[in-house]
Amino acid sequence: MPVQSKDLPQQISSVLDAVHTKKSGAARPLPAVALVGFIALVVGRYLSVKQAKEKKAAAAAAKVSAEGSSNSKSENESSSIGEILEGKLHLPRKTSRPIKFTSEATIVRNRKYFPPSKSSVKVGVNKEFFRQIESIFKILIPRLHCKETFILILHTTFLVLRTYLSVIVARLDGAIVKDLIAGNGKGFIRGLGYWFAIALPATYTNSMIRYLQSKLSIAFRTRLTRYVHDLYLNDQITYYKALNLDDRIEGVDQYITTDIAKFCDSLAGLYSNLGKPILDTIIFNYQLMRSIGVSGMGGLFVSYIVTAFLLRMVTPAFGKLAAVEAKLEGDFRSAHTRLITNAEEIAFYNGAELEHSILTKTYKRLIRHINSIYKIRIAYNMFEDFIIKYCWSAVGLTLSALPVFFPALAGVDSAKGNISGDKAVGARTQGFITSKRLMVSLADAGGRMMYSYKEMSELAGSTLRVYNLISVLHQLQAGNFEGASNGSSNESDENRYTLDDIRGIIQYGYEGIKFVDVPIVTPSPGNSNGGEELVHNLSVDVKPGDHMLVTGPNGVGKTSFARVVSGLWPVFRGQLQRPSPKDIFYIPQRAYLSIGSLRDQVIYPHSHADMIKAGRTDEELMSILKHVHLAYIPDREGGWNTVKEWKDVFSGGEKQRMNLARLFYHKPKFAILDECTSAVSSDVEGLMYNHAKDLGITLITISHRPALFKYHLHLLKFTGDHGHWEFSTIGTAEERQSLENEMASLQAKLDEVEELKKRHAEIQKELEVGLNAGPQDGTKVQKRGLF
């Protein structure tokens, strides 16, 4: 009787030994087929139910879309019917799974796992790499009972099944060859039947492994992207800080869109490429030990150690090379993005040739680095293939021959009984074929483990970039900026404004906007000398109804005033008191139009759901458009539900008036307007300013045009002379004198117009007299009009 294994399940051992013994005619590898078939039915049922739910949801969404289109056609006919249909439009949202944002407590708890990485640590498979992977896994698998855990368990199950089937196939291969050599036709036909019976669950298992690997990658990417988005887009405006107040990560879009996807694909692939070979190695080594004995296994382990040592010695720094390649890819992508963003300005300057050279240089740097990696891989791949394919094959053949040439060293399966004659030849052939098949599978598993080390080295580069992204976002979300470099400085600590030395205080809930000795400073990340002080110790108090005009030359800090109030720039010193964020609305100098419908442009940053929840209607939006003289827009563009690229549809004046429509929609207590009416005619501008006042909005306008003086009560002037500023009340003798001078200048120009009209009439009369007299020299005179 064959020796039963206590380490493997009884079912596996019975199938393997039954195929290996003379009584294999009565044995059937049906347990393997039944087990895999059962799992296939369970998984197939789960996937079919899931697919049916998705189709049902898609059909419901299509039905809702049809209702929405009919709603858009009839919305102008009846407001009551329109409101009902609008309500129906949002009913399916209740059945769909809502977006779950990461809680603040989770972000604070995970912050301690992402300290800044040390620049001195070498990029590679080392202690720091495993620490970073462990930290990221707290985001990928936040708890035991989650979707990712289920996918991992299912994936692991199919990996074990594939190894189990590989062992059965190896034994079955040996039995088929044995029957072929012995001339056993029935046994040969029976073996082929078993072969095809195993093929169906084996192919299904391989397909499910690839499918679950892709699902695991998508699940990891979804979890990681959602977490990064919650860090990146929040009330702390981390996205602005990462782009303007910190230079540790360049090209954040590259990190979020490309590096995270690459990291998740590599991590999911590494689990299959490393977990499966390790499992194969354990099981195949056990099976080989039964054939080639302990001595053969000793030689096999020596080959493992020598191979791992040699490959570790010659493996290049693939992690560092991958990180550099990702950075160069980001630079090349950023160059194209910059060209798209500034295409019109570049076209005006005829700068295509220069931009072409910039793109070419950026691409050449990327290709030069990639070519250097390919050259490094030539020698490495040659050595790797020589060791894994040829040396291991030679070792495998040698160890497989041990039971033949040295029976005393053979394992328990090769030492069964004393067989002679043709049966001995058949038994040795079966044992050799089985051992060779297992050895080939073991060599493949070992090769994949060695290849996985290279993949881990490349994964280390992606891991470093993803870890740095999350670490920096955590710090910026907590208000911790990059520390200044240790350089020499000629200024005292009190006059140096660095991002790691912010002493100012911001208090919310104040009824106005109050500056108390607050310097307005341009942030300078990483500069030991600090940023440049634009305004020195500003102290003003704007109460509700105190409309203020901020003026001064270019580059003296007018827009910076709004940045400090909004919290985009830090308060380095002093104290800032201001209302809650919902009570202040900012309209920047450059109009922004979001992606969405025409309705979304008016209610931004609210969504349509927020608008309905607040009880606002489309009729109210139309009234707002009338106040900004844009009432013709809905009819011109096809209704409120029309979706277009609005930045290309609206003119400059329409964009600015649309931004003012947002102001009238939200009706805040305070509004900061930064040159937001420069493209609007003066009469429409005056009407909109007066309407804002009628709504009870306190206006703080940033402009250098004296024509806006009459809409404000106070004047804050930045002189640009070493941060000096002046605050005064409009209507003083000086202000009246300024206005009188401007009116006198305009009146003088109007007087000149009357004189020019008289002169024009005189010239026209003289020309008519000359034409009536006719030419004296016989030449023809062509009558011309004077314009």
Side-chain angles (χ1 to χ4, degrees):
M1 294 294 294
V3 179
Q4 296 292 331
S5 171
K6 296 181 180 180
D7 298 329
L8 295 176
Q10 185 67 26
Q11 183 184 26
I12 300 178
S13 299
S14 62
V15 173
L16 298 180
D17 293 334
V19 176
H20 196 24
T21 58
K22 294 186 296 182
K23 297 181 180 182
S24 60
R28 302 290 187 272
L30 296 180
V33 179
L35 178 61
V36 179
F38 175 74
I39 295 177
L41 289 175
V42 172
V43 176
R45 177 61 179 170
Y46 167 76
L47 295 176
S48 62
V49 171
K50 184 178 180 181
Q51 187 177 9
K53 291 182 178 179
E54 292 177 352
K55 289 183 178 179
K56 187 176 180 181
K63 183 178 179 181
V64 171
S65 177
E67 292 179 358
S69 61
S70 62
N71 174 28
S72 63
K73 293 179 181 178
S74 61
E75 61 180 356
N76 294 327
E77 298 178 1
S78 174
S79 59
S80 59
I81 296 177
E83 292 175 0
I84 295 174
L85 290 177
E86 292 292 342
K88 288 183 179 180
L89 185 61
H90 290 275
L91 286 177
R93 293 180 182 269
K94 298 179 181 179
T95 60
S96 62
R97 180 178 298 177
I99 298 176
K100 296 182 179 179
F101 297 100
T102 307
S103 64
E104 185 67 23
T106 302
I107 292 177
V108 173
R109 184 177 65 250
N110 290 340
R111 187 178 299 154
K112 62 183 178 181
Y113 301 118
F114 292 91
S117 59
K118 300 178 181 179
S119 58
S120 59
V121 178
K122 183 180 179 182
V123 180
V125 184
N126 48 33
K127 183 178 179 180
E128 180 65 15
F129 164 70
F130 289 107
R131 186 192 69 81
Q132 294 174 356
I133 283 288
E134 181 183 2
S135 300
I136 297 176
F137 255 96
K138 297 183 183 299
I139 301 174
L140 299 179
I141 306 179
R143 56 188 179 276
L144 183 60
H145 302 287
C146 63
K147 181 179 68 174
E148 291 77 11
T149 304
F150 173 73
I151 296 176
L152 277 173
I153 294 175
L154 198 59
H155 195 194
T156 304
T157 303
F158 277 98
L159 290 176
V160 174
L161 283 175
R162 189 169 70 174
T163 302
Y164 171 40
L165 292 173
S166 298
V167 175
I168 293 179
V169 168
R171 291 296 184 90
L172 188 58
D173 193 12
I176 291 175
V177 174
K178 176 184 175 182
D179 292 333
L180 180 63
I181 294 176
N184 184 359
K186 293 182 178 180
F188 179 75
I189 297 298
R190 184 171 55 251
L192 289 180
Y194 291 156
W195 184 273
F196 284 108
I198 290 293
L200 292 177
T203 53
Y204 177 78
T205 300
N206 291 332
S207 298
M208 285 303 300
I209 287 175
R210 288 190 292 268
Y211 170 77
L212 291 173
Q213 177 179 330
S214 301
K215 290 290 292 182
L216 186 62
S217 174
I218 294 176
F220 282 166
R221 182 179 182 184
T222 301
R223 182 80 66 174
L224 199 56
T225 301
R226 188 181 67 182
Y227 187 86
V228 169
H229 282 176
D230 293 340
L231 275 176
Y232 189 57
L233 297 164
N234 49 35
D235 295 337
Q236 285 74 27
I237 54 174
T238 308
Y239 59 94
Y240 182 86
K241 297 176 182 178
L243 296 173
N244 298 278
L245 304 182
D246 197 283
D247 55 2
R248 282 174 287 181
I249 46 178
E250 298 179 1
V252 185
D253 57 336
Q254 169 79 11
Y255 280 81
I256 297 176
T257 59
T258 303
D259 290 333
I260 287 181
K262 185 177 180 181
F263 168 78
C264 294
D265 289 340
S266 300
L267 186 61
L270 184 64
Y271 179 74
S272 297
N273 297 335
L274 189 60
K276 173 65 168 56
I278 291 176
L279 182 64
D280 289 350
T281 302
I282 296 174
I283 296 179
F284 292 157
N285 279 331
Y286 173 80
Q287 292 299 319
L288 282 172
M289 187 174 63
R290 294 168 59 93
S291 298
I292 64 178
V294 178
S295 300
M297 289 303 302
L300 199 59
F301 279 112
V302 170
S303 67
Y304 290 161
I305 296 173
V306 173
T307 301
F309 174 77
L310 292 177
L311 291 179
R312 176 69 182 272
M313 292 295 294
V314 302
T315 300
F318 285 116
K320 183 177 180 180
L321 294 174
V324 174
E325 181 182 354
K327 182 182 182 304
L328 294 177
E329 289 279 7
D331 294 341
F332 183 56
R333 178 177 178 177
S334 298
H336 275 281
T337 303
R338 187 174 58 85
L339 176 63
I340 295 173
T341 304
N342 304 285
E344 183 174 343
E345 290 79 2
I346 294 172
F348 277 130
Y349 283 113
N350 291 325
E353 184 176 354
L354 179 59
E355 296 298 329
H356 185 276
S357 64
I358 293 175
L359 293 177
T360 302
K361 290 178 182 178
T362 308
Y363 179 72
K364 282 184 177 180
R365 284 197 297 267
L366 172 62
I367 294 303
R368 191 180 301 114
H369 178 73
I370 294 178
N371 285 330
S372 65
I373 295 177
Y374 290 160
K375 292 179 182 178
I376 293 174
R377 284 180 175 175
I378 292 176
Y380 176 78
N381 290 337
M382 288 179 59
F383 183 80
E384 187 180 45
D385 290 345
F386 176 77
I387 293 293
I388 294 177
K389 292 184 178 180
Y390 295 95
C391 292
W392 276 30
S393 297
V395 171
L397 290 173
T398 303
L399 296 178
S400 299
L402 285 180
V404 178
F405 298 107
F406 303 98
L409 301 178
V412 293
D413 287 348
S414 298
K416 294 175 183 177
N418 294 321
I419 304 175
S420 60
D422 294 337
K423 292 184 178 180
V425 174
R428 285 198 297 267
T429 302
Q430 180 181 4
F432 178 79
I433 293 299
T434 301
S435 298
K436 180 183 177 183
R437 183 91 181 195
L438 291 174
M439 190 67 69
V440 169
S441 299
L442 185 61
D444 178 66
R448 278 184 286 147
M449 282 194 295
M450 298 305 169
Y451 290 138
S452 297
Y453 180 78
K454 180 177 66 175
E455 295 176 357
M456 288 181 65
S457 299
E458 296 177 350
L459 177 63
S462 300
T463 303
L464 177 63
R465 289 178 63 85
V466 173
Y467 178 88
N468 285 339
L469 171 66
I470 300 175
S471 176
V472 171
L473 292 181
H474 266 295
Q475 296 173 56
L476 295 178
Q477 196 261 353
N480 301 324
F481 296 92
E482 181 182 13
S485 59
N486 295 325
S488 60
S489 176
N490 298 325
E491 300 182 15
S492 63
D493 292 338
E494 187 63 29
N495 295 327
R496 283 195 305 123
Y497 303 104
T498 57
L499 289 171
D500 59 345
D501 183 25
I502 299 175
R503 310 176 196 174
I505 300 174
I506 301 179
Q507 293 183 351
Y508 293 92
Y510 184 65
E511 63 178 5
I513 299 176
K514 184 177 182 180
F515 284 75
V516 180
D517 294 331
V518 176
I520 298 180
V521 180
T522 303
S524 182
N527 188 354
S528 61
N529 294 324
E532 178 186 1
E533 184 183 59
L534 301 176
V535 180
H536 180 70
N537 292 349
L538 179 62
S539 296
V540 295
D541 188 2
V542 182
K543 297 293 183 62
D546 292 344
H547 309 289
M548 184 176 71
L549 179 66
V550 182
T551 186
N554 292 330
V556 297
K558 298 191 300 296
T559 302
S560 303
F561 173 86
R563 296 189 181 111
V564 173
V565 173
S566 63
L568 300 183
W569 284 9
V571 178
F572 288 93
R573 304 289 189 272
Q575 186 179 39
L576 170 63
Q577 300 179 17
R578 47 156 293 176
S580 61
K582 66 178 182 179
D583 292 331
I584 303 182
F585 198 81
Y586 308 88
I587 300 183
Q589 184 173 358
R590 187 173 62 179
Y592 173 72
L593 298 171
S594 64
I595 298 175
S597 64
L598 177 61
R599 181 187 297 105
D600 295 333
Q601 308 312 309
V602 180
I603 66 178
Y604 185 85
H606 283 183
S607 64
H608 192 194
D610 296 330
M611 172 184 166
I612 295 176
K613 185 177 180 180
R616 314 293 287 269
T617 62
D618 290 345
E619 287 73 17
E620 186 177 355
L621 300 186
M622 178 59 73
S623 176
I624 291 174
L625 291 187
K626 290 179 180 178
H627 285 293
V628 295
H629 294 258
L630 291 178
Y632 58 89
I633 291 293
D635 292 335
R636 188 188 73 180
E637 302 300 336
W640 292 107
N641 295 320
T642 304
V643 177
K644 292 184 179 181
E645 191 65 44
W646 298 108
K647 66 180 181 63
D648 299 329
V649 174
F650 294 151
S651 64
E654 289 175 339
K655 292 177 183 178
Q656 291 187 344
R657 283 179 282 166
M658 185 62 70
N659 280 354
L660 286 169
R662 295 173 183 171
L663 173 65
F664 299 154
Y665 170 81
H666 291 283
K667 291 187 284 190
K669 294 181 180 179
F670 288 83
I672 298 181
L673 315 179
D674 186 5
E675 292 283 2
C676 63
T677 57
S678 58
V680 180
S681 60
S682 60
D683 55 341
V684 175
E685 180 182 55
L687 293 174
M688 292 189 296
Y689 265 89
N690 290 328
H691 182 65
K693 290 182 178 181
D694 294 339
L695 294 176
I697 303 174
T698 301
L699 302 176
I700 300 177
T701 304
I702 299 172
S703 179
H704 58 273
R705 293 186 295 154
L708 297 177
F709 277 37
K710 57 185 176 182
Y711 305 113
H712 302 83
L713 299 178
H714 301 287
L715 175 67
L716 176 60
K717 183 177 182 180
F718 297 148
T719 63
D721 183 14
H722 298 89
H724 182 67
W725 54 274
E726 299 174 356
F727 181 79
S728 60
T729 300
I730 298 178
T732 60
E734 291 81 2
E735 304 303 332
R736 287 196 299 268
Q737 183 65 35
S738 176
L739 291 176
E740 290 174 358
N741 292 337
E742 184 179 2
M743 292 179 62
S745 176
L746 294 175
Q747 186 61 42
K749 292 180 179 179
L750 291 176
D751 295 339
E752 291 180 1
V753 170
E754 295 297 330
E755 295 179 358
L756 290 175
K757 287 182 178 180
K758 294 179 180 179
R759 180 56 182 163
H760 173 268
E762 293 176 357
I763 295 175
Q764 186 70 21
K765 185 176 181 180
E766 292 178 358
L767 288 175
E768 291 178 355
V769 172
L771 290 173
N772 292 332
Q776 302 297 326
D777 54 358
T779 60
K780 294 183 178 180
V781 177
Q782 183 178 1
K783 183 177 181 180
R784 299 179 181 178
L786 181 62
F787 298 97

